[in-house]
Amino acid sequence: MASRKMLIDGNPNEENARYDFDLFVIGAGSGGVRAARFSANYGAKKVGICELPFHVISSEVNGGVGGTCVLRGCVPKKILVYGASFGGELEDARSFGWELNENIDFNWRKLLHKKTEEILRLNSIYKRLLSNAGVKLFEGEGKIIGPNEVQVTQLDGTKLKFSAKHILIATGSRAQRPNIPGQELAITSDEALSLEEAPKHAVVLGGGYIAVEFASIWRGMGATVDLFFRKELPLRGFDDEMRAVVARNLEGRGVNLHPRTNLSELVRADGGIKVLTDHGEELVADVVLFATGRAPNSKRLNLESVGVELDTTGAIKVDEFSRTNIPSIWAIGDATNRMNLTPVALMEGTCFAKTVFGGESSKPDYRNVPSAVFCIPPLSVVGLSEEQAIEQANGDLLVFTSTFTPMKNTISGRKEKTLMKLVVDADTDKVLGASMCGPDAPEVMQGIAIALKCGATKAQFDSTVGIHPSAAEEFVTLRSVTRRVSPANKPKTNL
């Protein structure tokens, strides 16, 4: 009981008066802002937060209130996805009676300007949220100089030092580049969101979210796109059946896929960048995007000298309450490399505030976290993939699938099918996982996630009345078992 009390700040006392801040947060991205605001709302009397000055492209000296997701990640990416989606929509519109001119121009710079306007608006909103919560914002680079001490280097070089009862690290992650000759000629997702000109021929290296999404974006805007990845299918870690559908859709929309292929060298050439692969292929592109992973942003925080433990990737080690091995120092979000999604960082920030200042011990729950890949059309999942369920199962699994042509495509003639899938425990009837690849998948899956969070059974899905006509109703009309899988016959996959 005593150890539990130590986690919770509880009643104010004379000890708190020794500190400049009850809480100081380094990093004002989604997780850091959430933790600071909620801590103040829960009664932390003095909360400070620091963040690097705003720039659309991040670096060791540039960042911005709002963080990666808001400024150079999920939000601007989704804006570009919307922009790219109109290409296919305009093609399909002709089948719905719209008489369009053959030549329809796309103005990349106009879209870029609107995107920048929106992230500047959001940057201001995040600052206002902090101010309204009574959180003191410092612009500059923060680092830890003691278990209860932080230093903020301001833009003019002035160093400010503060004491804090609790320090929270929420510095996120940064894009990484593979170490190949000519790697400096490539860009990362930061630069991809702010290119002066839309690419005519783009090479994308990587098989994850970012790679697949930018391949869809640039192809939707009319570019030639070559996507290179190491496995047989993109999106390693997702359900294999869904990965195959995404690959088929990418190819169907004109993306050139290069599975089991890596880039070996980039060379500046007339007309662009010459790309050499480990299979001996050569091609010339005007943009090469490295989407090969991200690393925790922990190098410049001075953590080793304070004694905070890191893993081999530079991620900050924390316990189930997001506390480091130094009792006064905590960490959330991508800097801890647990589940690197913005809503998860928000959850971790909320749990931190409840635990430390709200009088309620609260652990983040990583079960049934939904996610989406905003390729065109998108993929969205919640719970276990079929492969994960087989790996964890003690008994048989029932797999239900439905593949169909969306109503819109029956009119437009677009040869693109939607796939929906439920994975069910045969003994308990509990739905273990759901996935969908098709239009509006993320919007549908958010609702399904609530059902899985509540422990829904397949019988409860079956007893739910559908909305007609909609794609979503397929999830409550899946009656026939596609296959029964026994964990004794676990398939080995290396796709």
Side-chain angles (χ1 to χ4, degrees), residues 137-386:
L137 172 63
F138 298 89
E139 193 169 59
E141 182 178 17
K143 69 177 182 179
I144 300 174
I145 56 176
N148 296 96
E149 276 193 285
V150 296
Q151 176 181 288
V152 179
T153 303
Q154 296 183 292
L155 303 186
D156 62 1
T158 305
K159 290 180 169 55
L160 305 177
K161 293 183 181 180
F162 302 108
S163 60
K165 185 170 185 184
H166 298 281
I167 298 169
L168 176 66
I169 302 164
T171 49
S173 60
R174 294 263 306 279
Q176 296 299 291
R177 295 169 178 267
N179 187 21
I180 64 170
Q183 55 94 10
E184 71 281 357
L185 300 176
I187 62 172
T188 68
S189 54
D190 280 11
E191 295 90 349
L193 290 161
S194 299
L195 291 173
E196 289 189 10
E197 302 288 343
K200 294 181 174 60
H201 186 176
V203 164
V204 181
L205 175 63
Y209 286 80
I210 295 170
V212 168
E213 289 168 346
F214 273 101
S216 283
I217 288 167
W218 285 333
R219 182 62 200 137
M221 293 173 178
T224 299
V225 179
D226 287 88
L227 178 61
F228 294 82
F229 46 94
R230 290 181 298 176
K231 295 291 186 178
E232 187 63 34
L233 293 170
L235 299 175
R236 181 170 60 89
F238 284 84
D239 188 285
D240 285 349
E241 197 169 7
M242 291 292 162
R243 295 168 67 199
V245 172
V246 170
R248 190 158 61 244
N249 288 344
L250 288 169
E251 286 191 306
R253 289 190 177 237
V255 176
N256 303 313
L257 301 186
H258 302 263
R260 299 191 183 279
T261 308
N262 214 334
L263 303 189
S264 57
E265 187 178 1
L266 305 181
V267 180
R268 197 179 298 280
D270 290 340
I273 302 165
K274 184 164 72 171
V275 178
L276 290 78
T277 78
D278 57 359
H279 290 178
E281 299 169 276
E282 287 189 15
L283 61 160
V284 176
D286 49 334
V287 168
V288 177
L289 170 66
F290 286 162
T292 48
R294 299 177 66 85
N297 234 341
S298 62
K299 286 183 181 177
R300 293 168 63 96
L301 294 173
N302 196 43
L303 298 178
E304 292 90 338
S305 66
V306 181
V308 174
E309 292 181 356
L310 307 174
D311 70 13
T312 54
T313 69
I316 300 165
K317 291 184 179 182
V318 292
D319 66 12
E320 57 192 353
F321 291 94
S322 299
R323 196 175 206 172
T324 73
N325 61 304
I326 306 297
S328 56
I329 300 176
W330 311 68
I332 60 171
D334 286 15
T336 65
N337 198 29
R338 287 177 285 181
M339 185 180 282
N340 297 339
L341 297 168
T342 297
V344 171
L346 294 173
M347 171 179 67
E348 291 168 355
T350 301
C351 290
F352 162 83
K354 284 182 179 179
T355 298
V356 179
F357 297 103
E360 179 186 346
S361 299
S362 183
K363 305 176 196 175
D365 182 0
Y366 300 99
R367 296 170 297 175
N368 294 320
V369 172
S371 63
V373 181
F374 289 96
C375 44
I376 304 173
L379 164 67
S380 193
V381 304
V382 63
L384 302 179
S385 67
E386 182 176 346

Side-chain angles (χ1 to χ4, degrees), residues 23 34-45 47 130 133-135 353 357:
L23 169 66
R34 169 67 63 89
R37 290 174 53 224
F38 278 36
S39 294
N41 292 340
Y42 282 127
K45 301 300 181 190
V47 180
L130 290 169
V135 177
F357 297 103

Side-chain angles (χ1 to χ4, degrees), residues 54-66:
F54 171 81
H55 196 281
V56 290
I57 298 173
S58 69
S59 70
E60 292 183 339
V61 295
N62 289 316
V65 175

